[in-house]
Amino acid sequence: MLAQGQELVADAFAGRVAAASRYLVGIWADWPSGRPRLLGAAAGLDCVLSASILVGDHRLFVGTIIATETAAYADPLLWSERQYQALERSAPFSATSGGRPLPSATSCPTL
């Protein structure tokens, strides 16, 4: 999961950069498995291929997670309404107060 500030990485892997140059955008290291790992991401998963399933005209790849990494300090990068968006932060949920109402449609973009 990309973090805010990694818009250029998102654009590169969305096809705005030649496939051979995609890993030149962002800061990369290796997982212990040797596969590439994007540094600074909100979350990362290293997987091994477990299955490949034909679903209609698509192929679904199923991976077994062998390592994870999360960054508590990184906010996720979201794409909504043809632009990058940020999460709106609010006070933490309180179980003793019965919680809080959901944000209105104007304050919570549709994903």
Side-chain angles (χ1 to χ4, degrees):
M1 177 186 296
L2 296 178
Q4 288 179 23
Q6 293 182 318
E7 291 85 350
L8 293 176
V9 177
D11 289 344
F13 282 83
R16 294 189 177 130
V17 171
S21 300
R22 289 179 182 161
Y23 289 95
L24 299 176
V25 180
I27 302 170
W28 297 86
D30 290 329
W31 288 99
S33 67
R35 286 181 280 279
R37 175 175 59 104
L38 178 63
L39 299 180
L45 305 172
D46 189 15
C47 302
V48 293
L49 184 62
S50 298
S52 175
I53 306 163
L54 187 60
V55 181
D57 62 348
H58 288 70
R59 183 161 297 279
L60 175 66
F61 295 99
V62 179
T64 299
I65 299 170
I66 58 172
T68 64
E69 181 176 80
T70 59
Y73 61 86
D75 288 323
L77 179 63
L78 305 175
W79 177 261
S80 176
E81 299 178 9
R82 299 180 186 221
Q83 62 183 348
Y84 294 108
Q85 304 278 344
L87 287 177
E88 182 177 312
R89 295 292 180 183
S90 61
F93 178 81
S94 172
T96 58
S97 68
R100 303 198 187 292
L102 292 173
S104 70
T106 58
S107 65
C108 183
T110 303
L111 299 178

